[in-house]
Amino acid sequence: QVQLVESGGGLVQAGGSLRLSCAASGSIFSINTMRWYRQAPGKQRELVAAITSGGSTNYPDFVKGRFTISRDNAKNTVYLQMNSLKPEDTAVYYCNTDARRAGTTRWYDYWGQGTQVTVSS
């Protein structure tokens, strides 16, 4: 199995910063694109940032210029640096990736358990 464990969430004032981390562990052969999603109460889960194995990134307009995604392939870890946080950024943030386990040929979709980010006004 592959496990994704997020960390770094918490409470921050508007305008502040947080850095989320997500470490993948288990019998991993390869990890493809890594993504961060978020889900606020009563809303659908939405993509926040994505980074390919080669380092190409993608952001929706509502976080461009404020959030930065990065990854350390040697550590199977993805990060999300969040700056200039707004109250509307409050949500549970989830890590997601497609990974291939050692000894297999199929790719599977994996999710972390989520980490709460709360931005006070």
Side-chain angles (χ1 to χ4, degrees), residues 36-40 43-49 58-68 80 82-86 88-91 93:
W36 287 98
Y37 285 82
R38 70 185 185 188
Q39 187 166 22
K43 295 189 177 181
Q44 288 189 331
R45 191 170 294 190
E46 59 185 359
L47 179 67
V48 173
N58 183 43
Y59 305 94
D61 287 344
F62 58 83
V63 303
K64 275 183 181 176
R66 301 190 299 124
F67 291 9
T68 303
L80 184 67
M82 304 185 294
N83 299 327
S84 301
L85 283 162
K86 305 174 182 180
E88 51 264 45
D89 294 319
T90 295
Y93 283 70

Side-chain angles (χ1 to χ4, degrees), residues 4 6 22 31-37 45 47 49-51 69 78 93-99 108-112:
L4 299 180
E6 301 105 334
C22 171
I31 293 179
N32 202 351
T33 298
M34 302 188 82
R35 308 170 191 87
W36 287 98
Y37 285 82
R45 191 170 294 190
L47 179 67
I51 184 167
I69 190 171
V78 64
Y93 283 70
Y94 297 91
C95 177
N96 164 258
T97 190
D98 312 315
Y108 291 89
D109 192 47
Y110 295 96
W111 290 86

